[in-house]
Amino acid sequence: MTTILPSRNTEWGYWGTIGRVENDPAADPAKAWDIASRRIAEVTTASPEGVRDFLDSRHGRHFADDVASELWKGETLKVAIDAAITRWMAWRIDRKTSRETGIPRGLPYLTGLANHFAIMAELPY
């Protein structure tokens, strides 16, 4: 069973961006958050905190842009999220991102970022 943590950034990040998709009832942010959180956790094996913090970040906003692009093409919410996941899993962490974040070069972008946020959530500060 996957634990879904609530967003801490309902104004921006994934939640806020999906909530701004105009004239699309499929873009209900609560439903979109639940589906994206579950699917990202399944694909990346990141912790619930890592998934939440990824979606709440600027990267989550960009991920939502990808989902919105698919919704505008007429896809269902689940298909749109899966298409964005497929795209983000095909991209790889490059040398620059690896140097900036410590994420190993060559990892799928989504896996690297979600797990990076999971590690950051465990740091004591």
Side-chain angles (χ1 to χ4, degrees):
M1 175 154 193
T2 303
T3 300
I4 306 300
L5 298 178
S7 174
R8 292 183 183 169
N9 185 9
T10 58
E11 293 301 314
W12 299 103
Y14 180 79
W15 183 289
T17 301
I18 280 296
R20 288 181 181 84
V21 176
E22 295 180 23
N23 303 320
D24 195 335
D28 168 44
K31 183 177 178 184
W33 181 270
D34 185 65
I35 294 170
S37 293
R38 286 181 198 287
R39 291 291 295 128
I40 291 169
E42 289 169 10
V43 171
T44 66
T45 67
S47 70
E49 293 80 9
V51 172
R52 179 205 51 218
D53 293 352
F54 163 75
L55 288 172
D56 276 348
S57 74
R58 67 182 173 92
H59 302 288
R61 180 174 54 84
H62 296 302
F63 184 82
D65 289 339
D66 276 353
V67 173
S69 291
E70 296 296 323
L71 291 172
W72 289 323
K73 292 178 188 176
E75 298 294 351
T76 65
L77 182 58
K78 183 180 180 323
V79 169
I81 290 169
D82 284 345
I85 287 172
T86 298
R87 188 173 308 108
W88 282 59
M89 289 298 287
W91 296 336
R92 298 290 181 230
I93 298 294
D94 62 14
R95 185 178 348 172
K96 179 181 182 228
T97 303
S98 180
R99 277 194 310 246
E100 291 171 351
T101 63
I103 301 169
R105 184 176 176 197
L107 274 181
Y109 204 69
L110 185 58
T111 298
L113 286 172
N115 282 290
H116 169 74
F117 281 103
I119 291 166
M120 298 303 289
E122 291 182 14
L123 294 178
Y125 40 139

